[in-house]
Every structure is written in structure tokens, then in C-alpha cells.
Amino acid sequence: MDSISFQVPGKPQGKARARTYYNANARKHVSTTPDNTVLYENFIKERFLQAAGGFYLEAGKPVTLRIVARFLPPKSKSKKVQQQMVDGEILPLKKPDMDNIIKVVADALNGVAYHDDTQIVMVIAKKAYSALEGLDITVEEYTGGK
């Protein structure tokens, strides 16, 4: 099975909504992706390319995307509660939304890890507290199992 795993350090971010405005010069509505989303997508792409070693799933191959978004426990919580968070007893019910994290990763890897994100047939994703924040991402060819 073809697969690649890599990490993206830093606070996980979700895909922000595109901003649409009317361009009077062009006489049409234009949509742009916010700069922070573009920078984050490029960072994910860069981290993938550093780890990839030529990994690429051609068009027609189904893809499984696995994502773990790791968040730091809030410093305002007691040490006991922070430990419960890191141990997985308390889960991060906070922004960014999981679907936006998936979207930013899928879009960032489009054209570099796989031909097109339409190839993604399975996504396994979760949010968790951790002593180290970031994303753990695995891209693999879908084989019909979990």
C-alpha cells in the first residue's frame, strides 16, 4: 500500500471562507481566498513535499486521508484538567471546525499528493489535546479497509 505520513507544526487552522466582492474595473464579482489560508495551505504543501520522496497518487487511484489535529490545553485550566485533556478524557470542542481542517488539508495537497481531491473516498479525522500542537497527516491509497 502506498502511503506517506508527515506533520505540520503549529496551531491547526481551518479553511476560511472565500471573500466575494464586486470589481468595478472588471465589472464582475470576484472571489479571493484569505491570505492566511493561502499561507497555511502552502505550509502544508511544503511539509508534504519535504517528506514525500516522490510520493504521488495518480488520477484514478482512490485516496484515504487521515488527519489528527492536536491542540494545546488552555493554560487557564488546572494541571489536573490539562492532564485529563492530554490523556483524551476531555476532547477539544472548539474552533476550528473539523470539516474546515479537512478542507484546508485536502486543498493544500491537491495536485501534489494526488491528482485531484475528488479522488478522496475516505477521511478519518479527529481533534485531540496534546502537549505539542499541530497536524498529523497520512495520505494513502484506499484499499477498501479501515
Side-chain angles (χ1 to χ4, degrees), residues 103-124:
K103 185 69 175 153
V104 76
V105 171
D107 288 351
L109 299 177
N110 202 20
V112 292
Y114 37 77
H115 177 71
D116 190 80
D117 57 5
T118 58
Q119 292 171 250
I120 299 171
V121 296
M122 178 180 275
V123 176
I124 301 164

Side-chain angles (χ1 to χ4, degrees), residues 68-133:
V68 177
R70 296 176 281 110
F71 296 90
L72 294 176
K75 289 185 172 28
S76 61
K77 300 293 183 184
S78 70
K79 296 253 186 233
K80 179 182 177 184
V81 171
Q82 286 182 16
Q83 190 59 50
Q84 288 175 313
M85 291 174 159
V86 170
D87 290 344
E89 296 172 30
I90 300 172
L91 298 172
L93 307 176
K94 61 183 210 157
K95 291 200 177 276
D97 297 349
M98 195 74 241
D99 59 330
N100 291 329
I101 295 170
I102 293 167
K103 185 69 175 153
V104 76
V105 171
D107 288 351
L109 299 177
N110 202 20
V112 292
Y114 37 77
H115 177 71
D116 190 80
D117 57 5
T118 58
Q119 292 171 250
I120 299 171
V121 296
M122 178 180 275
V123 176
I124 301 164
K126 75 175 188 174
K127 295 194 290 189
Y129 284 112
S130 172
L132 191 62
E133 63 187 355

Side-chain angles (χ1 to χ4, degrees), residues 2 4 8 13 30 33 41 50 53 60 62 64 72 79 98 144:
D2 288 335
I4 183 78
V8 179
Q13 298 177 35
V30 179
T33 302
E41 285 179 350
Q50 289 173 354
T64 297
L72 294 176
K79 296 253 186 233
M98 195 74 241

